[in-house]
Amino acid sequence: MPSLKIQGLNISFGQGRKERSVVDHLNLEIPPGSRIAIVGESGSGKSLTALSILGLLPDGADVRGHIHWGDKNLLRIPMEELRTIRGREIAMIFQEPMTALNPLFTIGYQIIEAVTIHEPMILKEESTRRAMEMLERVGLPDVKNKMNAYPHQLSGGQRQRAMIAMALSTKPKLLIADEPTTALDVNLRQQILDLLKDLQKHSENQGMSILLISHDLNLVKKFAQHVVVMHQGKVVESGTTQNIFEAPQSAYTQSLVNSRPEKNLLPIIPLATHLLDAKGIAVGYPAEQSGWSQLFHFYQKTKYTSVLRGVDFDLRQGETLGIIGESGSGKTTLGMALLDLLGGTPAKMEGHVELLGRSWTKLSAADKRAMRAKFQVIFQDPFGSLSPRMSVGQIIAEGLDVHQPNLSKAQKLARVAEVLAEVGLEKSAIDRYPHEFSGGQRQRIAIARALILKPEILILDEPTSALDVTIQKQVLALLTDLQQKYNLAYIFISHDIAVVRAMSHRIMVLQHGDVVEFGETEEIIKSPKSAYTRQLIHEAF
């Protein structure tokens, strides 16, 4: 079983005076059977280091140094030889599954394809069996149907599990896991960690090493044997997990270890305006039909599988309602149903939503379009929700083009510059593109895009799940400041209970589409009534 040795790795972009170093003289060894973690803030060079191993760096990257896999220098071997190593010997779980998975093919097809590419002699029945087995092992429910599902039909956590199953299906010797549990709830995170550890001991995977890149320090503490801390492209500290967490030496590592979400909520004014009232919200998707049912579907009434049932709540001005639950519990579905963004799917929604005193569910398409300026959303995956073909200035101004078309070009530019400053970004960002920014910066761009229309309600769908602890703390502080400055109301969807506790006045707990608990935040955290809520809180704290 080979080991990976990185020696003097340097990665830079640009030339001459414009050259920018992003990884500076990094040395790292990953022995067989080891679990190594790289931690550091967004933009520290963690992911670029991982991508360099498989030759997946973006165009324009200048890479120097040595990356030895056994007796091969991965930076020098022909691309054809490197392709034979990718997936088969060294596999990677990418940070953003929605952009890594092909939207044109089913989940099952993509996993089977990964197996057959590297094992062309394997029978189709065996590759299908292995794909289903891996999906079961990563905790994906209803595997038979999920095999035939497309990426957009799965929740964020389910897509992440499918990515993990695909990487593990080829039985690699080194697994590079770039934020593998970002979109997963606390219970499932532990299951995935246990799965990876178990696979290391399995006869077919014995000796498999794992390079984990994560901003989740609790996960790193439970999983890794050795931790490397990076800051601005350099290794600032390295050592055993116990030493790093119990006796960090550098000031930067100390700040990471001690970073916690801070609660700075203002109390709700007793006579605060009710901005949103939801009654009996239910969502269902067409049930899978048999061959005979499909043949005679014109004569049959469509049957629906319920994914959300009887959700009631209200939201007041200046309030944050936190929605928590495991992956697939219906959190994001509820957010999309409230926004009336289920139209592109065959979903069926029932219930009533009153928004700013008007019946949102009964408004015409034109009236809804006009009101959307007051009801905005920040999506879970900022990179996937920002058009790569538009500059930051164009992305942020797009809402003004729709809702305030009479503004002049100069007025729009001034508004964009103003909102960029509001979220802590320089005016120079206007002419740059999303791929030029770190994850934390892209999330700030997404916030600016929503904020420029001066909304009254924001739905925040996992807004900090992809961010490291220091950047997460900054973004949460920004959201708190904006709420207090503009008296915004938030619906905060997250699997991170510590974050929800810091940000929310009230909490709703969802499980399998049902509300199992609803009330004041501290009351639920300290005295949960349902066994499910107690389990979530126990895992989180």
Side-chain angles (χ1 to χ4, degrees):
M1 188 74 72
S3 62
L4 186 84
K5 293 182 181 179
I6 301 176
Q7 298 173 321
L9 179 66
N10 292 276
I11 304 173
S12 61
F13 291 88
Q15 296 179 342
R17 292 182 178 180
K18 294 184 178 180
E19 184 177 11
R20 179 170 58 93
S21 176
V22 291
V23 174
D24 185 9
H25 203 74
L26 182 140
N27 296 302
L28 176 65
E29 182 173 357
I30 307 175
S34 61
R35 298 191 297 274
I36 311 292
I38 301 179
V39 300
E41 66 186 1
S42 181
S44 63
K46 308 187 302 295
S47 292
L48 289 174
T49 298
L51 291 171
S52 68
I53 296 171
L54 290 174
L56 296 175
L57 287 169
D59 292 340
D62 180 26
V63 188
R64 297 181 298 276
H66 303 275
I67 301 179
H68 289 285
W69 176 244
D71 59 355
K72 299 175 182 177
N73 185 351
L74 300 182
L75 296 181
R76 300 290 179 266
I77 62 175
M79 182 55 67
E80 292 76 12
E81 188 175 356
L82 183 59
R83 287 196 184 103
T84 64
I85 294 174
R86 287 178 184 167
R88 183 67 188 93
E89 296 184 35
I90 305 176
M92 186 165 184
I93 302 167
F94 293 95
Q95 183 173 353
E96 293 163 333
M98 194 58 180
T99 54
L101 293 169
N102 192 321
L104 300 178
F105 296 102
T106 63
I107 295 299
Y109 177 91
Q110 294 184 62
I111 299 177
I112 292 169
E113 182 186 39
V115 174
T116 53
I117 283 176
H118 297 288
E119 298 181 50
M121 301 302 292
I122 195 171
L123 296 175
K124 183 179 179 180
E125 292 78 7
E126 172 60 21
S127 61
T128 301
R129 185 198 61 77
R130 191 187 298 180
M132 295 184 69
E133 179 187 349
M134 291 314 305
L135 288 175
E136 288 176 351
R137 296 193 73 178
V138 298
L140 205 62
D142 194 13
V143 167
K144 186 177 180 181
N145 284 332
K146 293 299 187 292
M147 284 280 288
N148 297 317
Y150 291 85
H152 73 274
Q153 295 175 305
L154 304 183
S155 70
Q158 289 171 338
R159 285 194 292 267
Q160 192 71 292
R161 280 180 272 176
M163 276 287 300
I164 294 169
M166 188 184 303
L168 294 174
S169 65
T170 59
K171 305 173 186 176
K173 298 178 177 64
L174 169 62
L175 179 66
I176 302 172
D178 188 0
E179 303 286 2
T181 59
T182 290
L184 306 183
D185 58 87
V186 288
N187 293 333
L188 195 54
R189 288 183 198 180
Q190 191 59 51
Q191 292 177 29
I192 295 298
L193 293 183
D194 292 341
L195 169 65
L196 293 178
K197 288 181 180 178
D198 180 60
L199 284 169
Q200 280 190 310
K201 300 174 184 177
H202 196 275
S203 59
E204 295 179 337
N205 294 85
Q206 199 166 25
M208 180 180 75
S209 49
I210 300 173
L211 175 60
L212 173 69
I213 296 168
S214 180
H215 63 265
D216 189 330
L217 296 184
N218 284 331
L219 181 149
V220 169
K221 189 175 182 179
K222 295 177 182 178
F223 181 75
Q225 300 163 331
H226 191 93
V227 178
V228 176
V229 183
M230 291 187 69
H231 180 54
Q232 296 180 348
K234 297 181 179 180
V235 175
V236 296
E237 194 164 350
S238 177
T240 65
T241 303
Q242 183 177 358
N243 288 341
I244 291 293
F245 281 91
E246 294 183 2
Q249 299 300 305
S250 74
Y252 177 70
T253 307
Q254 292 169 8
S255 70
L256 281 182
V257 173
N258 296 323
S259 290
R260 297 287 186 278
E262 293 182 359
K263 191 164 189 170
N264 189 24
L265 290 176
L266 293 179
I268 304 301
I269 300 171
L271 298 178
T273 305
H274 280 246
L275 300 180
L276 187 148
D277 282 283
K279 301 291 184 185
I281 303 301
V283 177
Y285 288 90
E288 185 179 6
Q289 295 178 325
S290 67
W292 284 106
S293 297
Q294 292 177 24
L295 185 62
F296 297 106
H297 73 280
F298 289 111
Y299 307 99
Q300 293 184 343
K301 186 177 180 180
T302 302
K303 295 181 179 180
Y304 287 85
T305 300
S306 179
V307 295
L308 203 63
R309 290 170 290 274
V311 178
D312 301 327
F313 69 92
D314 64 301
L315 186 69
R316 294 168 289 176
Q317 195 171 38
E319 180 185 20
T320 298
L321 171 64
I323 301 178
I324 61 175
E326 63 189 352
S327 175
S329 63
K331 305 187 301 296
T332 297
T333 298
L334 175 59
M336 295 303 100
L338 294 172
L339 289 160
D340 192 27
L341 292 179
L342 295 172
T345 69
K348 178 183 178 182
M349 176 186 164
E350 297 177 347
H352 181 74
V353 178
E354 188 171 289
L355 176 67
L356 305 177
R358 302 182 68 183
S359 178
W360 172 250
T361 45
K362 295 181 180 180
L363 288 178
S364 66
D367 288 338
K368 278 185 179 179
R369 193 178 302 114
M371 286 192 71
R372 285 193 188 279
K374 300 296 183 183
F375 194 18
Q376 290 287 298
V377 59
I378 296 170
F379 293 99
Q380 178 176 350
D381 176 6
F383 194 67
S385 67
L386 301 176
S387 173
R389 298 181 179 179
M390 298 171 67
S391 68
V392 168
Q394 291 171 327
I395 289 169
I396 296 175
E398 190 175 20
L400 296 178
D401 296 335
V402 174
H403 294 284
Q404 300 178 32
N406 295 328
L407 290 178
S408 67
K409 186 176 180 179
Q411 288 173 319
K412 290 178 183 176
L413 185 62
R415 290 278 297 276
V416 171
E418 179 185 344
V419 77
L420 280 173
E422 194 93 69
V423 299
L425 292 173
E426 299 290 334
K427 185 179 178 180
S428 59
I430 287 176
D431 297 318
R432 296 164 64 190
Y433 289 82
H435 72 272
E436 299 179 67
F437 294 87
S438 68
Q441 290 170 326
R442 286 197 290 264
Q443 197 60 287
R444 289 173 183 266
I445 293 167
I447 293 171
R449 176 176 60 181
L451 197 65
I452 198 167
L453 294 174
K454 299 181 179 178
E456 295 188 43
I457 302 173
L458 274 178
I459 292 183
L460 305 162
D461 188 2
E462 302 278 7
T464 60
S465 65
L467 307 180
D468 58 83
V469 287
T470 53
I471 303 301
Q472 180 188 77
K473 192 174 182 179
Q474 294 172 22
V475 171
L476 293 177
L478 169 64
L479 290 170
T480 300
D481 290 343
L482 292 172
Q483 182 177 51
Q484 295 177 4
K485 184 175 181 179
Y486 297 110
N487 209 16
L488 297 170
Y490 293 154
I491 296 176
F492 200 103
I493 299 169
S494 181
H495 61 263
D496 191 325
I497 297 176
V499 169
V500 170
R501 182 182 191 180
M503 293 295 293
S504 305
H505 297 88
R506 291 186 295 163
I507 290 178
M508 176 189 294
V509 184
L510 285 175
Q511 183 186 25
H512 304 316
D514 294 312
V515 178
V516 297
E517 204 146 352
F518 188 20
E520 299 295 323
T521 298
E522 287 306 311
E523 181 180 335
I524 286 181
I525 295 294
K526 294 177 180 178
S527 303
K529 294 181 174 59
S530 75
Y532 176 70
T533 308
R534 286 195 293 272
Q535 183 183 9
L536 288 179
I537 293 170
H538 174 74
E539 293 289 345
F541 300 107

